[in-house]
Amino acid sequence: AVDKNWRNSLSSGKAHPLAITFCDSEKLLERFKESNVFLDQVQKGLADYLETKRGAFSRFYFLSNDELLSILSDSKDPKLVQPHLSKCFEGIKLVNFADDGTIDGIISREKEQVKLTDIIDPNAANVEDWMGQVESGMKATIRDVAYKAVLDYIKPDVTRGQWMQTWPGMLVLNCSQLWWTAEMEESIHKKGNEGVKDELKKQIEQLAEMTVLVRGKLD
């Protein structure tokens, strides 16, 4: 109705280009007032609609109304949602789509990719539903990969440098902190202050080893 009123007003303005002639119409003001009322109703209806979507997937609160509308309008093609993922997920810039359209991995800004524990199928699903699955899948996957990284750290045939090259950077940081705390506590319990010195020496040796490894790759 608003669009129809506006088009009629423009047609009337084109037919009567003189401002005094064009504006000398009681219906013009009535149409504009009516259109304002309709636009308020549309705005309220839109806000209510977007609120239901945000209620279904709370990370949509990180997006503006325009960005959320863009996602909802492109919901039939999940790949078009990619530009907005980084605002919903701090650690995810992109998701990896397999040939059949399913999502099998998450990709960080540093282009590190982690394979999802469970495949997600966004086809024929509401965008808030499959993005909710991405959230739960992200948590389950990182928990699983972190557990494997923690166990891999203590393998006798794996050096610290090799271990760091195997796992994503953020997992390396977190798992390193876990093992540093555990090894430091164990050394303190066994040797007291000397245990701290032993751990420092070990850490320095590992840093030297990793430096050689990195230089070798750069060369």
Side-chain angles (χ1 to χ4, degrees):
V2 173
D3 183 67
K4 182 180 178 182
N5 285 343
W6 182 248
R7 290 178 182 274
N8 288 339
S9 298
L10 289 179
S11 297
S12 178
K14 183 178 181 181
H16 305 89
L18 294 177
I20 294 177
T21 303
F22 171 67
C23 295
D24 187 19
S25 170
E26 294 181 0
K27 291 184 178 180
L28 182 64
L29 179 60
E30 292 177 1
R31 282 202 300 264
F32 283 173
K33 286 183 176 179
E34 181 185 55
S35 295
N36 276 335
V37 172
F38 286 158
L39 286 174
D40 287 341
Q41 293 176 0
V42 170
Q43 189 67 35
K44 183 180 183 303
L46 176 62
D48 292 343
Y49 172 70
L50 295 181
E51 187 63 26
T52 61
K53 294 298 182 180
R54 289 185 170 112
F57 183 62
S58 58
R59 288 175 184 256
F60 281 157
Y61 282 107
F62 298 139
L63 303 175
S64 67
N65 286 349
D66 289 343
E67 290 169 332
L68 182 51
L69 279 174
S70 176
I71 286 179
L72 296 174
S73 64
D74 296 330
S75 59
K76 292 183 179 179
D77 186 356
K79 293 182 180 180
L80 297 179
V81 180
Q82 293 265 46
H84 305 286
L85 284 175
S86 60
K87 291 189 176 180
C88 294
F89 302 95
E90 184 178 358
I92 300 178
K93 182 176 183 180
L94 299 170
V95 293
N96 188 69
F97 285 92
D99 293 337
D100 59 358
T102 58
I103 298 173
D104 61 4
I106 51 180
I107 305 170
S108 71
R109 291 181 179 87
E110 294 75 26
K111 299 181 180 180
E112 290 182 324
Q113 181 170 341
V114 177
K115 288 290 184 181
L116 289 172
T117 303
D118 297 313
I119 303 298
I120 297 170
D121 187 3
N123 300 305
N126 292 329
V127 63
E128 66 270 20
D129 293 332
W130 69 259
M131 287 189 72
Q133 294 176 23
V134 170
E135 179 183 23
S136 57
M138 170 191 69
K139 294 177 180 178
T141 297
I142 296 302
R143 188 182 300 115
D144 180 57
V145 175
Y147 178 72
K148 293 177 180 177
V150 167
L151 295 182
D152 190 49
Y153 180 91
I154 56 176
K155 288 183 178 179
D157 56 338
V158 177
T159 66
R160 179 76 174 272
Q162 292 171 334
W163 177 79
M164 288 182 62
Q165 299 294 318
T166 304
W167 303 96
M170 191 55 66
L171 287 172
V172 169
L173 290 174
N174 280 274
C175 296
S176 292
Q177 291 171 354
L178 185 150
W179 278 114
W180 181 89
T181 304
E183 292 172 344
M184 186 65 73
E185 287 182 350
E186 183 179 359
S187 294
I188 291 173
H189 288 154
K190 288 181 177 179
K191 300 181 180 180
N193 292 339
E194 289 300 318
V196 176
K197 295 178 182 179
D198 290 346
E199 284 300 314
L200 174 61
K201 181 180 178 182
K202 184 175 76 173
Q203 295 287 333
I204 292 175
E205 290 174 350
Q206 289 179 342
L207 283 172
E209 171 213 327
M210 288 183 283
T211 301
V212 172
L213 181 64
V214 171
R215 284 177 177 173
K217 288 199 170 187
L218 291 175
D219 293 340

